[in-house]
Amino acid sequence: MFLQYAEQYDFNQADDRESIASLETDDGEDHPPEKIIAETTTKSGHTWYLVTWKDCPVIRSSWEGKELFDDCPEVWDAWLVEKQQQAEGKSKPLDIEAFNKAVRDLEVTETQRRVLRRLRREVRLALSTLET
């Protein structure tokens, strides 16, 4: 699933002028859960669900507890169907390791882009000081 998304979105082509904040899930808007794409259970037995959010990139998915789905049973029901399809081999589970690597890679890219923008501003400021 993530690989399909990554093929459609070229992270390297993102406009440098675009605010990194605009890519964050926490943009002040209400983004209801869209679907569950994976689940994991901790050693203590607590299960977490990787949730995509409406109008947010898949890369901004987050791990949530089951109580989130009390108000959106259709998301939960769709996940139960997906889990059954995975169990029957009709659907392939998300590669969580690949997903986590993609998230880390994106974070590095965003950090590098911020540093580059800051350096560009500093160079423009230095050049404008030299010109005057």
Side-chain angles (χ1 to χ4, degrees):
M1 174 176 288
F2 175 72
L3 295 177
Q4 291 171 343
Y5 172 79
E7 289 170 357
Q8 294 172 3
Y9 184 80
D10 185 356
F11 296 103
N12 295 322
Q13 293 298 318
D15 187 350
D16 279 342
R17 293 169 296 172
E18 177 179 276
S19 169
I20 296 302
S22 70
L23 298 175
E24 297 296 333
T25 301
D26 188 13
D27 59 4
E29 298 294 320
D30 183 28
H31 296 281
E34 188 171 51
K35 69 190 257 186
I36 301 170
I37 58 175
E39 80 176 53
T40 190
T41 303
T42 64
K43 291 178 184 175
S44 65
H46 186 77
T47 302
W48 294 95
Y49 302 90
L50 187 57
V51 177
T52 62
W53 302 93
K54 186 166 174 47
D55 300 323
C56 292
V58 172
I59 200 86
R60 297 296 179 206
S61 300
S62 62
W63 291 99
E64 306 292 337
K66 184 178 183 314
E67 59 278 353
L68 174 73
F69 310 106
D70 292 344
D71 294 332
C72 44
E74 67 283 352
V75 174
W76 180 253
D77 293 343
W79 174 242
L80 295 178
V81 169
E82 173 61 21
K83 276 181 54 170
Q84 182 63 36
Q85 289 180 340
Q86 289 177 10
E88 294 171 0
K90 296 177 182 176
S91 180
K92 196 172 182 180
L94 177 74
D95 183 340
I96 295 174
E97 286 183 34
F99 179 83
N100 289 337
K101 181 183 180 320
V103 169
R104 284 189 306 273
D105 290 349
L106 181 61
E107 289 170 352
V108 167
T109 300
E110 289 175 350
T111 300
Q112 290 171 342
R113 195 167 43 207
R114 278 189 215 114
V115 168
L116 183 58
R117 280 197 308 256
R118 182 179 49 80
L119 289 173
R120 285 179 184 154
R121 283 192 302 269
E122 290 174 3
V123 166
R124 281 194 303 269
L125 179 62
L127 289 175
S128 69
T129 304
L130 290 174
E131 291 174 354
T132 56

